[in-house]
Amino acid sequence: MQVKLRIPVTFWRKAVQAAFLFLFLFLFRKTDYSGSDEIPYAVNLFFRWDPLVAASAMLAAKAFLAVLLPAVAVIVLTMLLGRFFCGWVCPLGTLLDLAHRIIPPRPAGSGGRYRPVKYVLLGLILTGALFGLPLVGYFDPFSILVRGMAVAVDPAFNLVVTSVFDWLYRNAPTWVTAVSEPVYTFLRAYILPFHQTFFALTLLSLAVLLAVFALERLERRFWCRNVCPLGAMLGLLARLSPLHWQPGIACHARGCRACSDICRTGAINETDGRISAESCILCLDCVEACPRSIIAFKFKKPAADPAPLNISRRVFLGTLATGILLPAFFRVRAGQKSPSPTLLRPPGALAEEQFLGQCVRCGECMKVCIGNALHPTLLEAGAEGMFTPRLIPRLGYCEYNCTLCGQVCPTGAIRKLTLEEKHQTKMGRAWFDKNRCLPHARGIPCLVCEEHCPTPDKAIKLRQVTVLDQQGNEVMLQQPYVVDSLCIGCGICENKCPLPGDAAVHVNREGESRSPNADLLITASYY
Protein backbone atom coordinates (compact mmCIF):
# COMPACT_ATOMS: atom_id res chain seq x y z
CA MET A 1 0.00 0.00 0.00
CA GLN A 2 1.47 3.31 -1.06
CA VAL A 3 1.56 5.99 1.66
CA LYS A 4 1.09 9.52 0.43
CA LEU A 5 3.52 11.96 1.96
CA ARG A 6 1.72 14.83 3.68
CA ILE A 7 3.55 18.07 4.25
CA PRO A 8 2.16 19.98 7.26
CA VAL A 9 0.62 23.33 6.34
CA THR A 10 2.75 25.01 8.99
CA PHE A 11 5.84 23.90 7.08
CA TRP A 12 5.02 26.36 4.30
CA ARG A 13 4.46 29.16 6.78
CA LYS A 14 7.80 28.46 8.47
CA ALA A 15 9.53 28.26 5.09
CA VAL A 16 8.12 31.65 4.08
CA GLN A 17 9.07 33.12 7.46
CA ALA A 18 12.62 31.84 7.05
CA ALA A 19 12.81 33.26 3.53
CA PHE A 20 11.69 36.72 4.63
CA LEU A 21 14.00 36.65 7.65
CA PHE A 22 16.89 35.78 5.33
CA LEU A 23 15.84 38.61 3.01
CA PHE A 24 15.73 41.02 5.94
CA LEU A 25 19.20 40.00 7.15
CA PHE A 26 20.56 40.11 3.60
CA LEU A 27 19.29 43.65 3.06
CA PHE A 28 20.52 44.64 6.52
CA ARG A 29 24.01 43.50 5.61
CA LYS A 30 23.84 45.22 2.23
CA THR A 31 23.07 48.48 4.03
CA ASP A 32 26.79 49.10 4.14
CA TYR A 33 29.65 50.55 2.18
CA SER A 34 31.03 48.03 -0.31
CA GLY A 35 33.59 50.05 -2.23
CA SER A 36 31.04 51.99 -4.26
CA ASP A 37 28.89 55.05 -3.66
CA GLU A 38 25.90 53.24 -5.14
CA ILE A 39 23.80 50.61 -3.36
CA PRO A 40 22.15 48.41 -6.02
CA TYR A 41 19.63 46.84 -3.62
CA ALA A 42 16.40 48.24 -2.20
CA VAL A 43 17.81 47.86 1.29
CA ASN A 44 14.93 49.83 2.83
CA LEU A 45 12.28 47.54 1.34
CA PHE A 46 10.76 46.47 4.65
CA PHE A 47 10.11 50.11 5.58
CA ARG A 48 8.69 50.92 2.17
CA TRP A 49 5.99 48.26 2.43
CA ASP A 50 5.15 49.17 6.03
CA PRO A 51 1.66 50.80 5.97
CA LEU A 52 2.22 52.46 9.35
CA VAL A 53 5.40 54.16 8.17
CA ALA A 54 3.71 55.16 4.92
CA ALA A 55 0.65 56.64 6.63
CA SER A 56 2.58 58.57 9.27
CA ALA A 57 5.18 59.90 6.82
CA MET A 58 2.52 61.08 4.37
CA LEU A 59 0.46 62.69 7.11
CA ALA A 60 3.56 64.50 8.34
CA ALA A 61 4.54 65.59 4.83
CA LYS A 62 0.93 66.44 3.89
CA ALA A 63 1.74 64.85 0.53
CA PHE A 64 1.85 61.51 -1.28
CA LEU A 65 5.31 59.92 -1.14
CA ALA A 66 5.79 57.65 -4.15
CA VAL A 67 8.72 55.86 -2.49
CA LEU A 68 6.22 54.29 -0.07
CA LEU A 69 3.94 52.92 -2.78
CA PRO A 70 4.76 49.25 -1.93
CA ALA A 71 2.78 49.72 1.29
CA VAL A 72 -0.37 49.87 -0.83
CA ALA A 73 0.24 46.27 -1.92
CA VAL A 74 0.41 45.15 1.71
CA ILE A 75 -2.84 46.98 2.46
CA VAL A 76 -4.63 45.30 -0.46
CA LEU A 77 -3.30 41.85 0.44
CA THR A 78 -4.32 42.33 4.06
CA MET A 79 -7.84 43.28 3.04
CA LEU A 80 -7.91 40.08 0.97
CA LEU A 81 -6.05 37.56 3.14
CA GLY A 82 -6.21 39.01 6.63
CA ARG A 83 -3.33 39.78 8.97
CA PHE A 84 -0.93 37.45 7.17
CA PHE A 85 1.94 39.95 7.32
CA CYS A 86 2.49 39.44 11.05
CA GLY A 87 2.53 35.66 10.82
CA TRP A 88 4.38 35.14 7.55
CA VAL A 89 6.50 38.19 6.71
CA CYS A 90 7.44 40.33 9.74
CA PRO A 91 11.04 39.50 10.77
CA LEU A 92 10.45 40.71 14.33
CA GLY A 93 7.51 38.31 14.63
CA THR A 94 9.70 35.49 13.32
CA LEU A 95 12.42 36.28 15.84
CA LEU A 96 9.83 36.31 18.62
CA ASP A 97 8.68 32.86 17.49
CA LEU A 98 12.27 31.64 17.58
CA ALA A 99 12.70 33.07 21.08
CA HIS A 100 9.59 31.29 22.36
CA ARG A 101 11.47 28.25 23.65
CA ILE A 102 14.12 30.43 25.30
CA ILE A 103 11.58 32.82 26.90
CA PRO A 104 8.53 30.71 27.75
CA PRO A 105 5.50 32.78 28.83
CA ARG A 106 3.89 32.52 32.24
CA PRO A 107 0.80 30.29 32.27
CA ALA A 108 -1.60 33.01 33.45
CA GLY A 109 -1.33 35.38 30.49
CA SER A 110 -2.88 38.84 30.40
CA GLY A 111 -6.46 37.84 29.68
CA GLY A 112 -6.62 40.33 26.83
CA ARG A 113 -6.78 43.39 29.10
CA TYR A 114 -3.87 45.12 27.34
CA ARG A 115 -5.19 44.73 23.78
CA PRO A 116 -6.56 48.30 23.55
CA VAL A 117 -3.02 49.65 24.02
CA LYS A 118 -2.06 49.07 20.40
CA TYR A 119 -5.11 50.99 19.16
CA VAL A 120 -4.32 53.88 21.48
CA LEU A 121 -0.76 53.96 20.13
CA LEU A 122 -2.01 53.76 16.54
CA GLY A 123 -4.35 56.70 17.12
CA LEU A 124 -1.62 58.77 18.79
CA ILE A 125 0.87 58.03 16.01
CA LEU A 126 -1.46 58.99 13.15
CA THR A 127 -3.01 62.08 14.76
CA GLY A 128 0.37 63.15 16.11
CA ALA A 129 1.91 62.84 12.64
CA LEU A 130 -0.84 65.00 11.18
CA PHE A 131 -0.48 67.72 13.81
CA GLY A 132 3.30 67.78 14.12
CA LEU A 133 4.31 65.24 16.79
CA PRO A 134 6.32 62.38 15.21
CA LEU A 135 5.96 59.15 17.20
CA VAL A 136 6.13 56.34 14.65
CA GLY A 137 9.89 55.79 15.05
CA TYR A 138 9.47 54.89 18.70
CA PHE A 139 6.90 52.13 18.16
CA ASP A 140 7.20 50.83 14.59
CA PRO A 141 8.52 47.25 14.80
CA PHE A 142 10.96 47.64 11.91
CA SER A 143 12.38 50.85 13.38
CA ILE A 144 12.96 49.19 16.74
CA LEU A 145 14.51 46.10 15.18
CA VAL A 146 16.78 47.78 12.62
CA ARG A 147 17.88 50.54 14.99
CA GLY A 148 18.73 48.07 17.74
CA MET A 149 20.65 45.86 15.35
CA ALA A 150 22.45 48.71 13.57
CA VAL A 151 23.44 50.73 16.63
CA ALA A 152 24.06 47.94 19.15
CA VAL A 153 23.96 44.32 17.96
CA ASP A 154 25.94 44.63 14.72
CA PRO A 155 28.87 46.65 16.14
CA ALA A 156 29.11 44.35 19.17
CA PHE A 157 28.93 41.25 16.97
CA ASN A 158 31.73 42.56 14.76
CA LEU A 159 33.87 43.44 17.79
CA VAL A 160 33.48 40.00 19.38
CA VAL A 161 34.08 38.02 16.19
CA THR A 162 37.07 40.13 15.14
CA SER A 163 38.60 39.92 18.63
CA VAL A 164 38.36 36.12 18.62
CA PHE A 165 40.00 35.75 15.23
CA ASP A 166 42.66 38.35 16.09
CA TRP A 167 43.53 36.35 19.19
CA LEU A 168 43.71 33.14 17.18
CA TYR A 169 45.94 34.81 14.60
CA ARG A 170 48.37 35.99 17.29
CA ASN A 171 48.37 33.00 19.63
CA ALA A 172 47.04 29.86 17.94
CA PRO A 173 49.32 27.28 16.30
CA THR A 174 49.73 27.24 12.54
CA TRP A 175 47.30 24.39 11.94
CA VAL A 176 44.55 26.38 13.70
CA THR A 177 45.18 29.59 11.76
CA ALA A 178 45.21 27.59 8.54
CA VAL A 179 41.53 26.97 9.23
CA SER A 180 40.57 30.16 11.03
CA GLU A 181 41.94 32.62 8.48
CA PRO A 182 39.82 31.33 5.53
CA VAL A 183 36.79 31.35 7.85
CA TYR A 184 37.54 34.93 8.86
CA THR A 185 38.02 35.91 5.21
CA PHE A 186 34.59 34.50 4.41
CA LEU A 187 32.99 36.29 7.37
CA ARG A 188 34.64 39.55 6.42
CA ALA A 189 33.42 39.24 2.84
CA TYR A 190 29.81 38.22 3.49
CA ILE A 191 28.78 38.54 7.14
CA LEU A 192 30.72 41.23 9.01
CA PRO A 193 30.25 44.98 8.43
CA PHE A 194 32.70 47.05 6.40
CA HIS A 195 34.47 48.37 9.49
CA GLN A 196 34.10 48.62 13.24
CA THR A 197 31.66 51.32 14.29
CA PHE A 198 30.81 52.98 17.59
CA PHE A 199 27.55 54.75 18.35
CA ALA A 200 25.87 56.95 20.90
CA LEU A 201 22.78 55.54 22.69
CA THR A 202 23.93 51.98 22.09
CA LEU A 203 22.65 50.66 25.41
CA LEU A 204 19.34 52.52 25.15
CA SER A 205 18.70 51.20 21.64
CA LEU A 206 19.56 47.69 22.77
CA ALA A 207 17.34 47.99 25.85
CA VAL A 208 14.32 48.98 23.74
CA LEU A 209 14.84 45.97 21.46
CA LEU A 210 15.38 43.56 24.34
CA ALA A 211 12.24 44.88 26.06
CA VAL A 212 10.17 43.60 23.13
CA PHE A 213 11.59 40.13 23.68
CA ALA A 214 11.30 40.37 27.47
CA LEU A 215 7.55 40.92 27.08
CA GLU A 216 7.34 37.35 25.80
CA ARG A 217 7.64 36.31 29.43
CA LEU A 218 4.24 37.84 30.13
CA GLU A 219 2.48 36.32 27.16
CA ARG A 220 3.39 34.74 23.85
CA ARG A 221 3.66 37.38 21.15
CA PHE A 222 2.78 39.99 23.78
CA TRP A 223 4.16 42.74 21.56
CA CYS A 224 2.07 41.64 18.58
CA ARG A 225 -1.09 41.13 20.62
CA ASN A 226 -1.05 44.27 22.74
CA VAL A 227 1.50 46.90 21.71
CA CYS A 228 2.41 46.84 18.01
CA PRO A 229 0.63 49.74 16.25
CA LEU A 230 1.42 48.22 12.84
CA GLY A 231 -0.36 45.07 13.99
CA ALA A 232 -3.30 47.22 15.07
CA MET A 233 -3.53 48.84 11.64
CA LEU A 234 -3.28 45.51 9.84
CA GLY A 235 -5.82 44.02 12.23
CA LEU A 236 -8.37 46.70 11.38
CA LEU A 237 -7.81 46.08 7.68
CA ALA A 238 -8.10 42.31 8.25
CA ARG A 239 -11.72 42.78 9.38
CA LEU A 240 -12.56 43.39 5.73
CA SER A 241 -11.01 40.11 4.58
CA PRO A 242 -13.29 37.48 3.01
CA LEU A 243 -10.95 34.73 4.28
CA HIS A 244 -12.65 33.17 7.32
CA TRP A 245 -11.83 30.43 9.81
CA GLN A 246 -14.23 27.58 10.44
CA PRO A 247 -15.91 25.72 12.13
CA GLY A 248 -14.83 27.10 15.50
CA ILE A 249 -18.06 27.49 17.44
CA ALA A 250 -19.35 23.95 16.85
CA CYS A 251 -16.09 22.41 18.06
CA HIS A 252 -16.05 24.39 21.31
CA ALA A 253 -19.65 23.36 21.95
CA ARG A 254 -18.35 19.79 22.16
CA GLY A 255 -15.73 20.78 24.71
CA CYS A 256 -12.67 20.78 22.43
CA ARG A 257 -10.15 23.53 23.15
CA ALA A 258 -7.20 22.30 21.08
CA CYS A 259 -7.14 25.29 18.74
CA SER A 260 -7.63 28.00 21.37
CA ASP A 261 -5.01 26.43 23.65
CA ILE A 262 -2.34 26.59 20.95
CA CYS A 263 -3.22 29.97 19.36
CA ARG A 264 -0.13 32.15 19.70
CA THR A 265 -2.02 35.45 19.60
CA GLY A 266 -5.10 34.48 21.58
CA ALA A 267 -7.32 35.08 18.57
CA ILE A 268 -9.70 32.21 19.39
CA ASN A 269 -12.17 32.78 22.19
CA GLU A 270 -11.80 30.02 24.78
CA THR A 271 -15.49 30.14 25.68
CA ASP A 272 -17.34 29.99 22.39
CA GLY A 273 -14.63 29.34 19.81
CA ARG A 274 -15.21 32.57 17.90
CA ILE A 275 -12.14 33.91 16.15
CA SER A 276 -11.03 37.52 16.01
CA ALA A 277 -9.90 38.34 12.48
CA GLU A 278 -7.99 41.36 13.74
CA SER A 279 -5.89 39.14 16.06
CA CYS A 280 -5.43 36.08 13.84
CA ILE A 281 -2.04 36.12 12.07
CA LEU A 282 -2.77 33.00 9.98
CA CYS A 283 0.00 30.96 11.58
CA LEU A 284 -2.10 27.81 10.85
CA ASP A 285 -1.12 26.17 14.15
CA CYS A 286 -4.80 25.52 14.80
CA VAL A 287 -5.09 23.58 11.53
CA GLU A 288 -2.31 21.24 12.63
CA ALA A 289 -3.58 20.98 16.21
CA CYS A 290 -7.17 20.04 15.35
CA PRO A 291 -7.66 16.39 16.39
CA ARG A 292 -10.46 15.92 13.84
CA SER A 293 -8.65 17.76 10.99
CA ILE A 294 -11.73 19.82 10.22
CA ILE A 295 -10.34 23.34 10.67
CA ALA A 296 -9.88 25.30 7.46
CA PHE A 297 -9.75 28.83 6.11
CA LYS A 298 -12.17 29.58 3.30
CA PHE A 299 -13.22 32.59 1.30
CA LYS A 300 -16.79 33.70 1.80
CA LYS A 301 -18.82 36.86 2.04
CA PRO A 302 -17.24 39.25 4.56
CA ALA A 303 -19.16 39.54 7.80
CA ALA A 304 -18.88 41.75 10.83
CA ASP A 305 -16.12 40.58 13.14
CA PRO A 306 -17.79 39.02 16.20
CA ALA A 307 -14.80 39.86 18.38
CA PRO A 308 -15.04 43.46 19.67
CA LEU A 309 -12.09 45.82 19.68
CA ASN A 310 -12.58 46.28 23.41
CA ILE A 311 -11.86 50.01 23.28
CA SER A 312 -14.41 52.42 24.70
CA ARG A 313 -15.64 55.57 23.03
CA ARG A 314 -14.11 57.60 25.84
CA VAL A 315 -10.68 56.09 25.26
CA PHE A 316 -11.03 56.57 21.51
CA LEU A 317 -11.95 60.24 21.83
CA GLY A 318 -9.27 60.77 24.47
CA THR A 319 -6.67 59.31 22.15
CA LEU A 320 -7.66 61.62 19.32
CA ALA A 321 -7.69 64.64 21.64
CA THR A 322 -4.24 63.77 22.98
CA GLY A 323 -2.82 63.37 19.48
CA ILE A 324 -4.24 66.76 18.49
CA LEU A 325 -3.37 68.75 21.62
CA LEU A 326 -0.06 67.22 22.72
CA PRO A 327 1.93 68.68 19.77
CA ALA A 328 1.02 72.18 21.00
CA PHE A 329 2.87 71.59 24.26
CA PHE A 330 5.97 70.46 22.41
CA ARG A 331 5.87 73.58 20.26
CA VAL A 332 6.09 75.95 23.24
CA ARG A 333 9.27 74.44 24.67
CA ALA A 334 12.25 76.77 25.02
CA GLY A 335 14.21 74.54 22.64
CA GLN A 336 11.85 75.49 19.81
CA LYS A 337 12.88 79.12 20.16
CA SER A 338 16.58 78.46 20.65
CA PRO A 339 17.63 75.21 18.93
CA SER A 340 21.02 73.69 19.63
CA PRO A 341 23.68 75.35 17.44
CA THR A 342 25.67 72.10 17.27
CA LEU A 343 22.78 69.95 16.03
CA LEU A 344 24.12 68.95 12.61
CA ARG A 345 21.90 66.90 10.30
CA PRO A 346 23.00 64.63 7.43
CA PRO A 347 23.50 66.18 3.98
CA GLY A 348 20.18 66.34 2.17
CA ALA A 349 18.10 66.39 5.35
CA LEU A 350 14.80 68.26 5.02
CA ALA A 351 14.02 71.37 7.05
CA GLU A 352 13.92 70.43 10.74
CA GLU A 353 10.16 70.24 11.29
CA GLN A 354 9.60 68.24 8.12
CA PHE A 355 12.67 66.12 8.81
CA LEU A 356 11.38 65.14 12.26
CA GLY A 357 7.98 64.30 10.78
CA GLN A 358 9.28 62.00 8.04
CA CYS A 359 12.24 60.40 9.84
CA VAL A 360 11.28 56.99 11.27
CA ARG A 361 14.41 56.65 13.45
CA CYS A 362 15.41 53.44 11.72
CA GLY A 363 19.18 53.94 11.98
CA GLU A 364 19.88 52.89 8.38
CA CYS A 365 21.65 56.18 7.58
CA MET A 366 23.83 55.73 10.67
CA LYS A 367 24.71 52.19 9.71
CA VAL A 368 25.68 53.06 6.15
CA CYS A 369 27.74 56.16 7.02
CA ILE A 370 31.33 55.52 5.91
CA GLY A 371 32.87 57.92 8.42
CA ASN A 372 30.76 56.70 11.39
CA ALA A 373 29.69 60.34 11.70
CA LEU A 374 25.93 59.88 12.18
CA HIS A 375 24.67 59.00 15.64
CA PRO A 376 21.24 58.88 17.30
CA THR A 377 20.17 62.06 19.04
CA LEU A 378 19.13 62.00 22.69
CA LEU A 379 17.44 65.28 23.69
CA GLU A 380 19.41 67.78 21.59
CA ALA A 381 16.37 68.10 19.28
CA GLY A 382 13.83 67.71 22.06
CA ALA A 383 12.01 64.56 23.15
CA GLU A 384 10.33 64.34 19.76
CA GLY A 385 13.75 64.19 18.06
CA MET A 386 15.17 61.25 20.01
CA PHE A 387 16.95 58.63 17.87
CA THR A 388 17.04 60.91 14.80
CA PRO A 389 20.47 61.08 13.13
CA ARG A 390 22.92 63.84 13.94
CA LEU A 391 26.47 64.40 12.77
CA ILE A 392 29.02 64.42 15.60
CA PRO A 393 32.29 65.51 13.98
CA ARG A 394 34.53 64.56 16.89
CA LEU A 395 33.38 60.95 16.45
CA GLY A 396 33.32 60.85 12.65
CA TYR A 397 33.10 63.02 9.56
CA CYS A 398 30.94 63.17 6.45
CA GLU A 399 32.88 61.70 3.52
CA TYR A 400 33.04 64.31 0.76
CA ASN A 401 32.21 61.89 -2.07
CA CYS A 402 29.55 59.82 -0.27
CA THR A 403 25.77 60.02 -0.83
CA LEU A 404 24.77 56.72 0.79
CA CYS A 405 22.61 58.10 3.61
CA GLY A 406 20.13 59.59 1.15
CA GLN A 407 20.00 56.33 -0.78
CA VAL A 408 18.96 54.23 2.21
CA CYS A 409 16.48 56.65 3.81
CA PRO A 410 13.08 54.95 3.39
CA THR A 411 10.84 58.02 3.61
CA GLY A 412 12.82 60.81 1.94
CA ALA A 413 13.60 62.57 5.23
CA ILE A 414 17.13 62.62 3.80
CA ARG A 415 16.96 63.45 0.11
CA LYS A 416 18.92 61.36 -2.35
CA LEU A 417 21.60 63.71 -3.68
CA THR A 418 23.76 63.49 -6.73
CA LEU A 419 27.47 63.83 -6.10
CA GLU A 420 27.41 67.36 -7.52
CA GLU A 421 24.53 68.31 -5.22
CA LYS A 422 26.33 66.78 -2.26
CA HIS A 423 29.42 68.89 -2.91
CA GLN A 424 27.27 72.04 -2.77
CA THR A 425 25.24 71.06 0.29
CA LYS A 426 26.21 72.81 3.51
CA MET A 427 25.69 70.96 6.78
CA GLY A 428 27.14 73.83 8.79
CA ARG A 429 30.27 75.88 9.11
CA ALA A 430 33.60 75.47 10.92
CA TRP A 431 35.16 77.95 13.32
CA PHE A 432 38.38 78.05 15.33
CA ASP A 433 38.78 78.37 19.07
CA LYS A 434 41.82 80.65 19.41
CA ASN A 435 42.37 79.54 22.98
CA ARG A 436 42.97 75.90 21.94
CA CYS A 437 44.31 76.00 18.39
CA LEU A 438 48.07 75.44 18.61
CA PRO A 439 49.17 78.05 16.03
CA HIS A 440 46.85 80.67 17.61
CA ALA A 441 47.23 79.89 21.31
CA ARG A 442 50.84 78.67 21.62
CA GLY A 443 52.65 79.60 18.45
CA ILE A 444 53.14 75.92 17.60
CA PRO A 445 52.89 74.99 13.89
CA CYS A 446 49.99 72.68 13.00
CA LEU A 447 48.44 72.19 9.55
CA VAL A 448 46.32 69.06 10.10
CA CYS A 449 42.94 70.69 9.52
CA GLU A 450 44.03 72.42 6.32
CA GLU A 451 45.61 69.24 4.98
CA HIS A 452 42.42 67.22 5.45
CA CYS A 453 39.94 69.81 4.14
CA PRO A 454 38.34 68.02 1.15
CA THR A 455 36.90 70.89 -0.91
CA PRO A 456 38.76 71.52 -4.21
CA ASP A 457 39.33 75.14 -3.20
CA LYS A 458 40.14 74.52 0.44
CA ALA A 459 37.73 76.07 2.91
CA ILE A 460 40.54 76.22 5.49
CA LYS A 461 43.37 78.42 4.34
CA LEU A 462 46.62 79.56 5.93
CA ARG A 463 48.08 82.99 6.51
CA GLN A 464 51.68 83.83 7.40
CA VAL A 465 51.95 85.66 10.73
CA THR A 466 54.57 86.57 13.29
CA VAL A 467 53.74 85.54 16.84
CA LEU A 468 55.43 84.95 20.17
CA ASP A 469 56.13 81.36 21.07
CA GLN A 470 55.93 79.98 24.62
CA GLN A 471 59.46 81.22 25.36
CA GLY A 472 58.58 84.76 24.24
CA ASN A 473 60.53 84.58 20.98
CA GLU A 474 59.15 85.89 17.73
CA VAL A 475 58.45 83.13 15.21
CA MET A 476 56.84 83.06 11.81
CA LEU A 477 54.20 80.40 11.21
CA GLN A 478 50.98 79.75 9.33
CA GLN A 479 47.68 80.15 11.12
CA PRO A 480 44.54 78.49 9.74
CA TYR A 481 41.28 80.34 9.13
CA VAL A 482 37.94 79.42 7.56
CA VAL A 483 36.51 80.82 4.34
CA ASP A 484 32.80 80.69 5.15
CA SER A 485 31.61 80.57 1.56
CA LEU A 486 33.68 77.43 0.84
CA CYS A 487 33.04 75.46 4.05
CA ILE A 488 30.37 72.73 3.82
CA GLY A 489 30.52 71.63 7.47
CA CYS A 490 31.67 68.06 6.77
CA GLY A 491 33.46 67.96 10.13
CA ILE A 492 36.71 66.35 9.00
CA CYS A 493 38.72 69.25 10.44
CA GLU A 494 37.17 68.76 13.87
CA ASN A 495 37.53 64.99 13.62
CA LYS A 496 41.22 65.08 12.66
CA CYS A 497 42.28 67.83 15.07
CA PRO A 498 45.19 66.24 17.02
CA LEU A 499 44.33 67.82 20.37
CA PRO A 500 43.01 65.44 23.03
CA GLY A 501 39.45 66.04 24.25
CA ASP A 502 37.67 68.95 22.60
CA ALA A 503 39.00 69.94 19.22
CA ALA A 504 40.32 73.40 18.47
CA VAL A 505 38.04 73.66 15.46
CA HIS A 506 34.29 73.10 15.73
CA VAL A 507 31.40 72.84 13.32
CA ASN A 508 28.02 74.43 14.05
CA ARG A 509 24.86 74.62 11.97
CA GLU A 510 25.42 78.18 10.79
CA GLY A 511 24.49 78.62 7.15
CA GLU A 512 23.19 75.08 6.62
CA SER A 513 21.56 74.59 3.24
CA ARG A 514 18.26 73.28 4.60
CA SER A 515 17.68 76.46 6.66
CA PRO A 516 19.77 79.30 5.23
CA ASN A 517 18.59 81.67 7.97
CA ALA A 518 20.35 79.62 10.65
CA ASP A 519 22.93 82.33 11.31
CA LEU A 520 24.68 82.30 14.65
CA LEU A 521 26.47 85.03 16.56
CA ILE A 522 30.15 84.26 16.67
CA THR A 523 32.05 86.09 19.38
CA ALA A 524 35.35 87.80 18.83
CA SER A 525 37.12 84.82 20.43
CA TYR A 526 36.53 82.64 17.41
CA TYR A 527 37.44 82.65 13.73
Side-chain angles (χ1 to χ4, degrees):
M1 180 178 176
Q2 185 177 6
V3 179
K4 186 177 181 180
L5 180 64
R6 177 182 176 273
I7 300 177
V9 291
T10 54
F11 169 83
W12 302 111
R13 187 255 305 162
K14 293 176 181 178
V16 173
Q17 279 186 295
F20 276 107
L21 180 61
F22 175 81
L23 176 63
F24 170 79
L25 295 175
F26 173 79
L27 295 178
F28 179 82
R29 176 50 56 225
K30 290 301 180 179
T31 309
D32 205 348
Y33 177 71
S34 59
S36 171
D37 189 46
E38 293 291 331
I39 296 182
Y41 302 95
V43 294
N44 53 26
L45 178 61
F46 280 82
F47 288 97
R48 292 173 60 186
W49 64 25
D50 183 338
L52 180 64
V53 166
S56 59
M58 292 183 194
L59 287 173
K62 311 294 190 299
F64 176 77
L65 302 177
V67 70
L68 297 172
L69 194 60
V72 176
V74 174
I75 292 174
V76 173
L77 288 174
T78 301
M79 294 172 64
L80 178 65
L81 301 175
R83 194 178 160 184
F84 77 98
F85 190 88
C86 303
W88 293 65
V89 178
C90 179
L92 182 56
T94 301
L95 292 174
L96 290 175
D97 287 341
L98 292 174
H100 174 59
R101 295 184 181 275
I102 304 174
I103 315 174
R106 295 174 180 173
S110 68
R113 60 182 178 273
Y114 299 119
R115 287 182 185 254
V117 172
K118 62 178 178 287
Y119 297 108
V120 171
L121 290 176
L122 176 62
L124 285 177
I125 288 171
L126 296 182
T127 54
L130 181 61
F131 291 95
L133 179 59
L135 297 173
V136 65
Y138 305 122
F139 299 103
D140 179 73
F142 296 142
S143 295
I144 293 174
L145 178 59
V146 174
R147 183 175 63 239
M149 291 182 61
V151 174
V153 177
D154 199 41
F157 173 72
N158 182 64
L159 180 64
V160 170
V161 172
T162 302
S163 298
V164 170
F165 281 95
D166 284 348
W167 185 89
L168 290 175
Y169 181 78
R170 291 192 302 267
N171 300 284
T174 305
W175 67 270
V176 174
T177 56
V179 176
S180 65
E181 284 305 294
V183 172
Y184 180 70
T185 301
F186 173 82
L187 293 175
R188 176 57 62 193
Y190 298 103
I191 306 298
L192 298 178
F194 172 68
H195 60 176
Q196 182 63 56
T197 52
F198 303 86
F199 291 101
L201 304 191
T202 294
L203 295 181
L204 181 57
S205 301
L206 179 63
V208 172
L209 177 59
L210 292 181
V212 174
F213 287 86
L215 290 173
E216 287 291 287
R217 184 62 179 149
L218 300 178
E219 192 173 45
R220 186 170 189 186
R221 285 253 193 167
F222 184 95
W223 167 265
C224 308
R225 294 191 194 198
N226 307 304
V227 183
C228 182
L230 173 59
M233 174 180 281
L234 295 176
L236 293 176
L237 295 170
R239 287 173 165 261
L240 305 175
S241 170
L243 185 65
H244 290 274
W245 179 90
Q246 55 184 344
I249 299 174
C251 294
H252 274 64
R254 297 187 179 95
C256 180
R257 301 288 186 274
C259 55
S260 58
D261 289 343
I262 201 173
C263 183
R264 66 186 62 198
T265 58
I268 304 173
N269 190 293
E270 295 182 359
T271 303
D272 59 14
R274 294 180 183 272
I275 188 169
S276 170
E278 59 91 17
S279 296
C280 177
I281 59 173
L282 280 82
C283 65
L284 304 181
D285 286 343
C286 57
V287 176
E288 289 298 314
C290 181
R292 300 171 61 195
S293 299
I294 59 174
I295 291 180
F297 287 83
K298 295 183 179 180
F299 287 98
K300 61 182 181 179
K301 183 179 179 180
D305 193 332
L309 288 178
N310 195 26
I311 181 170
S312 67
R313 181 181 299 179
R314 180 178 299 179
V315 172
F316 175 73
L317 294 177
T319 299
L320 293 182
T322 302
I324 294 171
L325 297 177
L326 191 59
F329 294 94
F330 280 83
R331 289 178 180 272
V332 295
R333 293 181 302 103
Q336 291 287 332
K337 186 175 182 180
S338 179
S340 172
T342 58
L343 182 61
L344 305 176
R345 295 301 191 184
L350 302 176
E352 186 67 9
E353 183 176 352
Q354 190 176 0
F355 174 76
L356 292 178
Q358 291 185 217
C359 175
V360 291
R361 285 84 168 151
C362 61
E364 296 223 325
C365 58
M366 307 174 205
K367 183 179 184 303
V368 82
C369 181
I370 300 175
N372 197 195
L374 298 181
H375 297 261
T377 300
L378 185 56
L379 296 175
E380 294 84 356
E384 69 274 30
M386 186 180 296
F387 293 122
T388 55
R390 65 173 300 200
L391 191 151
I392 305 180
R394 201 56 172 151
L395 300 179
Y397 63 91
C398 181
E399 171 60 45
Y400 186 64
N401 291 316
C402 174
T403 62
L404 295 178
C405 57
Q407 295 180 45
V408 302
C409 181
T411 62
I414 303 174
R415 294 184 298 109
K416 183 178 179 179
L417 303 175
T418 65
L419 196 56
E420 292 72 23
E421 290 174 327
K422 166 67 186 298
H423 290 166
Q424 301 300 319
T425 300
K426 292 180 178 290
M427 291 158 278
R429 191 173 293 160
W431 51 271
F432 282 95
D433 183 347
K434 291 196 307 181
N435 294 319
R436 286 189 59 78
C437 181
L438 295 177
H440 288 278
R442 301 186 181 183
I444 298 175
C446 180
L447 308 177
V448 173
C449 55
E450 188 271 343
E451 291 174 340
H452 283 89
C453 184
T455 56
D457 186 2
K458 288 186 178 290
I460 295 180
K461 297 187 181 297
L462 303 170
R463 54 190 169 203
Q464 193 86 5
V465 296
T466 302
V467 299
L468 298 178
D469 62 15
Q470 291 181 294
Q471 287 73 41
N473 302 317
E474 287 190 353
V475 295
M476 292 188 64
L477 52 71
Q478 293 179 314
Q479 287 182 342
Y481 66 97
V482 178
V483 179
D484 290 347
S485 60
L486 299 177
C487 181
I488 61 172
C490 68
I492 192 172
C493 52
E494 182 174 346
N495 181 258
K496 299 298 183 181
C497 179
L499 291 180
D502 290 338
V505 56
H506 300 272
V507 179
N508 57 35
R509 53 188 291 266
E510 180 184 6
E512 58 180 354
S513 297
R514 66 192 190 118
S515 51
N517 295 326
D519 292 326
L520 307 173
L521 296 177
I522 301 179
T523 66
S525 299
Y526 308 127
Y527 284 104

